[in-house]
Amino acid sequence: MTLTKTITSGPDSIAYSVHNPNNTAVVLIHGWGCSSSDWNGVITALGDQYTTLTLDLPGHGESSSSADIVSIGQMADDVAAAMDDAGIEQAVMVGHSMGGAIAVEFAARYPTRASLVIGADTWHYLQLYPKQDETGVETFAGSFGLNFATSVDALVAMSSIASTPDDIKEHVRQSTLSVTMPLGLTELVDLLRWDLDAVLANVEAPVVSIVSDDLVSDEAIDRYSDRMTFVKFPGVSHYLLLENPAGSAAHIKDAIAAHT
């Protein structure tokens, strides 16, 4: 059984879906340039034992915003609004890429509502986390503003590995090019200004980071290993949800079994 609705959350119009109601709840938050449908294979692999909630973030998929700027904090509140509407009080929060930042922000803002935070290839990118200096923010934003399509191509290339299928890379490219601009760029800029280290200090729930074995660095593991459990996932790129949804679901299940 699947329930699909659109709700209002502050200035945002948020489309969300709930699959398999009345079980242990898992909230799945997509990354920048993606959409809730990227979780479909993972939802199937998770099976009927979990209630899954997915949503499109503002400017992605079927969601929009009347605001000029959308922040990580606002998107965390959007997640809370969807959970409220669905009658979900507490859940395991799973975030891919930028969705990982939103999951951590949610857990800090709503500590009793997050039983566990799982990142899917997210917080180990030190060029994004922790908070970047303004020079870096302006350089990054300027490159996207100057030539969006070229910047998207570069982003997809750096997020892939040799085995990443061409059709997945093209899917991600087209999905990213469909993001509402310049609204979407404000989300990226806020991500660069968002301080993972400071927010993590206020998260009470356990944190698990599932990472591409090919893309994670020892430096990132050293930086965050005292605050989160790292799980290396071989043979996948940043787009692990699409490349290996069954393996992604298995790692999520393992994390839930180990930490809840």
Side-chain angles (χ1 to χ4, degrees), residues 136-195:
V137 173
E138 292 172 7
T139 299
F140 186 91
S143 67
F144 268 79
L146 183 65
N147 194 323
F148 184 52
T150 299
S151 297
V152 168
D153 288 344
L155 184 64
V156 172
M158 69 180 289
S159 303
S160 302
I161 60 175
S163 62
T164 303
D166 288 341
D167 62 333
I168 287 180
K169 289 187 284 189
E170 182 59 21
H171 166 83
V172 174
R173 180 178 182 275
Q174 293 300 326
S175 178
T176 306
L177 289 173
S178 72
V179 172
T180 303
M181 296 294 280
L183 183 73
L185 184 57
T186 70
E187 297 170 346
L188 272 184
V189 168
D190 194 66
L191 176 66
L192 293 170
R193 291 175 173 151
W194 181 79
D195 193 340

Side-chain angles (χ1 to χ4, degrees), residues 9-258:
S9 171
D12 301 337
S13 176
I14 300 298
Y16 82 88
S17 297
V18 176
H19 312 263
N20 304 318
N22 304 316
N23 296 309
T24 300
V26 179
V27 174
L28 303 168
I29 310 169
H30 70 76
W32 189 80
C34 304
S35 73
S36 59
S37 64
D38 288 347
W39 291 104
N40 287 351
V42 173
I43 292 169
T44 298
L46 284 173
D48 294 340
Q49 71 186 100
Y50 298 103
T51 293
T52 55
L53 183 151
T54 58
L55 71 159
D56 287 332
L57 298 172
H60 297 72
E62 300 300 318
S63 294
S64 60
S65 180
S66 62
D68 295 326
I69 296 172
V70 175
S71 67
I72 298 299
Q74 174 59 35
M75 290 186 281
D77 290 342
D78 290 340
V79 172
M83 289 174 62
D84 287 344
D85 192 73
I88 297 173
E89 179 56 33
Q90 187 183 68
V92 174
M93 312 303 297
V94 185
H96 171 240
S97 196
M98 183 181 74
I102 297 166
V104 169
E105 180 71 28
F106 177 93
R109 289 183 177 222
Y110 305 97
T112 64
R113 304 193 69 178
S115 59
L116 170 65
V117 180
I118 302 173
D121 207 63
T122 171
W123 311 296
H124 64 90
Y125 292 97
L126 299 183
Q127 69 270 39
L128 297 176
Y129 311 101
K131 183 178 181 180
Q132 304 297 299
D133 61 44
E134 281 303 306
T135 300
V137 173
E138 292 172 7
T139 299
F140 186 91
S143 67
F144 268 79
L146 183 65
N147 194 323
F148 184 52
T150 299
S151 297
V152 168
D153 288 344
L155 184 64
V156 172
M158 69 180 289
S159 303
S160 302
I161 60 175
S163 62
T164 303
D166 288 341
D167 62 333
I168 287 180
K169 289 187 284 189
E170 182 59 21
H171 166 83
V172 174
R173 180 178 182 275
Q174 293 300 326
S175 178
T176 306
L177 289 173
S178 72
V179 172
T180 303
M181 296 294 280
L183 183 73
L185 184 57
T186 70
E187 297 170 346
L188 272 184
V189 168
D190 194 66
L191 176 66
L192 293 170
R193 291 175 173 151
W194 181 79
D195 193 340
L196 173 62
D197 293 13
V199 179
L200 270 176
N202 294 311
V203 172
E204 299 175 5
V207 180
V208 176
S209 183
I210 302 167
V211 297
S212 163
D213 195 18
D214 290 87
L215 296 177
V216 69
S217 68
D218 291 338
E219 181 183 2
I221 293 175
D222 290 343
R223 183 182 183 98
Y224 290 113
S225 60
D226 65 334
R227 187 59 191 87
M228 60 184 68
T229 301
F230 281 89
V231 178
K232 291 184 177 181
F233 192 169
V236 296
S237 72
H238 186 56
Y239 308 118
L240 65 169
L241 312 179
L242 300 170
E243 291 167 316
N244 192 341
S248 299
H251 281 303
I252 291 170
K253 288 181 178 181
D254 288 346
I256 293 171

